[in-house]
């Protein structure tokens, strides 16, 4: 888990074995582990980790590539048909990791339990002490952990309107992409 080479010298010598992406990559055989978190730099990122194996199959280490979180948001936000449509991405905890409105970022769709809050702090998901809730329990219930494509109608106290969100789970991670617009 000790970083031996990096484009940023600040990472060299740091221990990353506690990170989920590192642990997943060590255990996987030829597949990429992906995590989204706020790293030690304080900037959010999407981390891709792949095991490095010797010719005999032994684990030599893990190669990690970080994409800036803002680049992920730009990609998600490019899915817009008009100014009323917003795309967003939530992780397996229901935390918004990409959204065109920055005030939604790194907040949970619904309240997180104290145990979930502690786990996310342990893995430094959020730079803040507590992940605040957007108070959208109907949306959270429909999309967090969704295993198939669907949609949900709900009232948003934030927008003060009824909304409709179409959603689709990602194949490689337990994350869900949502496309939201006001109900007409």
């Amino acid at each position: 888990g000790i970083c031996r080479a990096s484009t940023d010298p600040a990472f060299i010598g740091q221990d990353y074995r506690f990170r989920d992406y590192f642990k997943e990559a060590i255990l996987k055989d030829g597949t990429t582990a992906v995590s989204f978190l706020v790293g030690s730099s304080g900037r959010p990122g999407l981390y891709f980790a792949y095991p490095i194996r010797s010719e005999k199959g032994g684990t030599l280490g893990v190669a990690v590539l970080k994409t800036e979180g803002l680049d992920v948001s730009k990609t998600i936000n490019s899915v817009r048909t008009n100014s009323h449509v917003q795309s967003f991405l939530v992780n397996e905890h229901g935390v918004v990791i990409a959204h065109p409105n920055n005030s939604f970022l790194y907040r949970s769709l619904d309240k997180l339990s104290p145990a979930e809050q502690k786990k996310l702090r342990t893995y430094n998901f959020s730079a803040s002490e507590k992940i605040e809730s957007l108070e959208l329990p109907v949306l959270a219930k429909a999309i967090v952990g969704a295993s198939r494509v669907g949609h949900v109608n709900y009232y948003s106290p934030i927008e003060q309107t009824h909304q409709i969100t179409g959603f689709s789970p990602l194949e490689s991670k337990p994350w869900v992409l949502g496309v939201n617009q006001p109900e007409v």
Side-chain angles (χ1 to χ4, degrees), residues 29-138:
D29 187 27
T31 57
T32 304
V34 182
S35 293
F36 191 95
L37 55 94
V38 176
S40 56
S41 66
R43 296 183 320 261
L46 186 60
Y47 294 78
F48 299 89
Y50 193 83
I52 301 170
R53 308 275 187 221
S54 70
E55 290 178 7
K56 295 180 181 179
T59 302
L60 299 174
V62 173
V64 178
L65 172 71
K66 177 187 177 186
T67 300
E68 293 295 325
L70 293 176
D71 292 334
V72 175
S73 286
K74 284 179 189 174
T75 302
I76 297 298
N77 296 341
S78 70
V79 182
R80 283 188 93 142
T81 56
N82 66 51
S83 62
H84 300 293
V85 175
Q86 296 179 326
S87 299
F88 61 95
L89 185 64
V90 296
N91 71 4
E92 65 272 25
H93 303 284
V95 175
V96 178
I97 57 178
H99 197 284
N101 182 337
N102 288 342
S103 69
F104 284 49
L105 289 175
Y106 319 120
R107 295 176 68 187
S108 59
L109 294 178
D110 199 10
K111 294 178 184 167
L112 297 173
S113 71
E116 288 172 306
Q117 288 279 356
K118 183 178 179 181
K119 179 180 180 181
L120 294 175
R121 264 194 317 277
T122 300
Y123 292 111
N124 197 24
F125 179 81
S126 171
S128 66
E129 273 300 304
K130 182 179 178 189
I131 295 174
E132 298 296 325
S133 172
L134 293 168
E135 307 284 339
L136 299 169
V138 174

Side-chain angles (χ1 to χ4, degrees), residues 156-178:
S156 169
I158 299 164
E159 307 288 341
Q160 297 183 341
T161 61
H162 290 275
Q163 303 282 313
I164 184 167
T165 297
F167 57 87
S168 178
L170 303 186
E171 287 184 24
S172 61
K173 287 295 281 181
W175 299 346
V176 178
L177 176 66

Side-chain angles (χ1 to χ4, degrees), residues 7-8 18 21 36 61 71-72 96 98 124 127 143 147 152 160 165 184:
T7 56
D8 184 341
F18 68 97
Y21 59 79
F36 191 95
D71 292 334
V72 175
V96 178
N124 197 24
I143 73 172
S147 58
V152 61
Q160 297 183 341
T165 297
V184 261

